[in-house]
Amino acid sequence: MDIGVLLPTGTAQWDPADDPRELVALGRLAERSGFSSLFVNDSLVSPRIEALSMLAALAPATETVTLGTAALMPFLRRPVQAAQSLASIDLLSGGRLTVTVGAGFPGRFGRPLYTLSELPWDRRFARLDETVGLWRALWDGADAFHGEILRFDGIPPTTRPFRADGPPVWLGGATPAALARTGLMYDGWLPYPPDPADYASGLRDIRRAAADAGRAAEDITPALFVSVRIDDDVEGGRRALEGYARAVYGMPLEELEKIQAVVTGSADQVRQRLGEYVAAGVRHIVVRLGALGLSSQRDQLERVADLIPAVRGAAARASFTPGS
């Protein structure tokens, strides 16, 4: 059972006096506190530290934690250059990189970014899958790639990653098409369904698709992206999380909870709710800390760290039969 944390790289999550260089120190604190991974997200919607730059800074500053994206949007980058950057981070971290990818969403989180990237919105999922296929080919030493959308010949030698097969690539998303594509070609799944039952059913669909493709269930890491806030004053905690939802997403908490996994309450309440996702099959939890300001983020980090042994114990006790 792995439990990681999403670092607050967006300026909307900082206090005015916060120094962004403290993010590296926060990552080191998370590693010392027992978290097994550090993730960063990727967007042009609001100012933030660019995702791959953040991971490159964390690579020499940490020793054992997985470094991941949640989620990287490949259409924001030239595909060959992105393969080079990801391989470089994998090298610098000694093979600790995991890449979660996504194609963006309708509205301000998607179509306008494609316009800025000078790419069509149509066939975005096919472009995403081909981009991942191109990366894997380049990491394996290919000098050409011929897809339906991406076609390259005469590619000069590119940086090879630390691991011979390159970093694992996970997919975000929970539509039926995303579930089928995860089972067919991705190494992990990182959704954020509000209901653990939806997670369990999605994971069953992925494993069926994997079996149909001749893949083993163990080839795909079942992960979860979840916003967490622990507070002894439960109502006060919800008010703080309300402020977080409005600052980061521009929407009330009530609306955010309808579309994303959000867990808040006392330590026991949070432990029990995370345990429901563990029972649904989750084996890598990526926690986004529901707090504004790096000082409050550190406080929440320490509170969640106290739950790590209990959540891992729940995973050890959970019985999950692949394909069930």
Side-chain angles (χ1 to χ4, degrees), residues 91-109:
L91 277 173
L92 292 170
S93 65
R96 292 186 283 127
L97 179 64
T98 290
V99 186
T100 307
V101 297
F105 300 96
R108 70 187 186 108
F109 292 102

Side-chain angles (χ1 to χ4, degrees), residues 7-323:
L7 293 179
T9 56
T11 59
Q13 298 163 279
W14 306 345
D15 285 332
D18 283 341
D19 184 342
R21 291 172 292 184
E22 294 179 26
L23 292 170
V24 175
L26 186 63
R28 288 198 297 259
L29 174 61
E31 184 176 52
R32 293 195 304 270
S33 300
F35 289 91
S36 52
S37 60
L38 301 173
F39 278 75
V40 297
N41 57 15
D42 184 33
S43 179
L44 293 179
V45 172
S46 60
R48 69 188 59 244
I49 303 297
E50 192 274 328
L52 301 187
S53 301
M54 187 73 247
L55 295 184
L58 289 166
T62 57
E63 296 180 357
T64 61
V65 286
T66 295
L67 303 177
T69 59
L72 191 76
M73 293 187 285
F75 66 87
L76 297 178
R77 299 163 178 84
R78 299 292 186 184
V80 175
Q81 179 192 23
Q84 176 103 335
S85 297
L86 293 168
S88 298
I89 294 170
D90 198 52
L91 277 173
L92 292 170
S93 65
R96 292 186 283 127
L97 179 64
T98 290
V99 186
T100 307
V101 297
F105 300 96
R108 70 187 186 108
F109 292 102
R111 191 182 292 268
L113 302 186
Y114 276 82
T115 300
L116 287 173
S117 300
E118 300 179 310
L119 292 174
W121 175 253
D122 295 339
R123 301 200 68 196
R124 60 193 181 277
F125 300 115
R127 181 180 296 275
L128 174 64
D129 292 347
E130 281 200 9
T131 299
V132 172
L134 169 65
W135 292 349
R136 287 170 169 163
L138 295 178
W139 294 337
D140 195 41
D143 61 3
F145 182 84
H146 298 146
E148 294 184 18
I149 299 173
L150 302 178
R151 301 183 67 85
F152 297 97
D153 287 298
I155 302 173
T158 57
T159 302
R160 305 287 287 273
F162 183 87
R163 288 162 287 187
D165 54 353
V169 183
W170 299 357
L171 185 65
T175 64
L179 300 177
R181 289 161 51 231
T182 300
L184 179 65
M185 65 171 287
Y186 286 90
D187 305 305
W189 183 45
L190 184 63
Y192 44 68
D195 188 341
D198 290 335
Y199 187 96
S201 64
L203 186 57
R204 285 194 295 270
D205 289 346
I206 287 172
R207 287 175 164 161
R208 278 194 292 266
D212 290 343
R215 303 180 68 201
E218 294 75 19
D219 293 340
I220 303 169
T221 300
L224 171 74
F225 184 87
V226 55
S227 296
V228 172
R229 168 111 192 168
I230 299 174
D231 207 304
D232 296 331
D233 176 3
V234 175
E235 289 305 314
R238 284 195 64 83
R239 286 194 297 271
L241 199 55
E242 174 76 27
Y244 180 90
R246 292 183 180 275
V248 175
Y249 283 99
M251 66 174 65
L253 176 60
E254 182 180 8
E255 294 301 314
L256 183 64
E257 289 176 315
K258 294 177 182 178
I259 58 176
Q260 290 193 10
V262 178
V263 178
T264 184
S266 67
D268 281 344
Q269 289 172 323
V270 169
R271 175 185 56 77
Q272 290 172 8
R273 185 61 170 173
L274 292 179
E276 294 177 20
Y277 282 101
V278 171
V282 172
R283 290 301 177 267
H284 194 137
I285 297 174
V286 179
V287 172
R288 178 171 52 192
L289 303 168
L292 296 176
L294 295 185
S295 176
S296 295
Q297 286 268 332
R298 282 190 293 271
D299 175 69
Q300 285 296 310
L301 181 82
E302 292 167 357
R303 287 173 178 256
V304 175
D306 289 341
L307 295 185
I308 290 176
V311 176
R312 285 182 174 155
R317 293 188 297 272
S319 60
F320 187 88
T321 302

